[in-house]
Amino acid sequence: MKKKSVVLVSFGIILLIVIGVFFYISTGLQVEATVYDAVEKKPIAQASVKIDDKPYFTNTQGRFQSNVPLFGTHYVVVEKNGYKTFKKELNFQTVQKNRKFDVFLEPITFTNLLN
């Protein structure tokens, strides 16, 4: 009888560990970024952010956050009318080194359009 309860407790602990690892892998690492105007250095509110085609928007302070899965390569695309599109590749190594980063969007000017 005592042996049976030890086996059940051991099985329960192993099951909890497996669920915890699965949860950690599926939710991934949290990344945070702030989007700024590259010229004025002011935060840009309501910029469109897509991470692997999942849409987000920056808040009034120009910030957004998301979870990035641990495995594979992921792409961040930041867009706002009047600014050049920003693209960045994220993988486990880059996210693990730096979970917070700044994005500087360059305003579109007539000179930019000619180039």
Side-chain angles (χ1 to χ4, degrees):
M1 191 69 159
K2 196 174 190 181
K3 212 175 198 184
K4 193 175 188 181
S5 62
V6 170
V7 169
L8 285 174
V9 169
S10 298
F11 178 74
I13 291 171
I14 291 170
L15 184 63
L16 285 174
I17 290 171
V18 168
I19 290 171
V21 168
F22 177 76
F23 178 77
Y24 181 72
I25 289 173
S26 64
T27 58
L29 298 172
Q30 185 178 43
V31 294
E32 298 177 33
T34 305
V35 179
Y36 294 100
D37 181 298
V39 175
E40 296 181 7
K41 309 292 189 246
K42 292 182 181 178
I44 299 175
Q46 296 303 309
S48 169
V49 180
K50 289 184 183 175
I51 300 178
D52 294 336
D53 293 328
K54 292 179 187 171
Y56 302 92
F57 288 94
T58 58
N59 64 16
T60 56
Q61 291 87 30
R63 296 185 186 138
F64 74 91
Q65 63 183 20
S66 174
N67 288 335
V68 177
L70 294 178
F71 302 108
T73 301
H74 311 284
Y75 297 94
V76 177
V77 178
V78 182
E79 297 176 310
K80 178 75 173 175
N81 285 340
Y83 293 90
K84 286 185 174 182
T85 299
F86 172 88
K87 296 177 185 177
K88 181 174 180 147
E89 184 178 296
L90 296 177
N91 58 36
F92 178 71
Q93 291 174 342
T94 59
V95 172
Q96 192 175 28
K97 287 179 187 174
N98 190 11
R99 293 186 194 182
K100 293 184 180 183
F101 57 95
D102 294 330
V103 174
F104 292 92
L105 293 183
E106 191 176 326
I108 293 176
T109 63
F110 185 70
T111 307
N112 289 346
L113 292 174
L114 293 177
N115 293 334

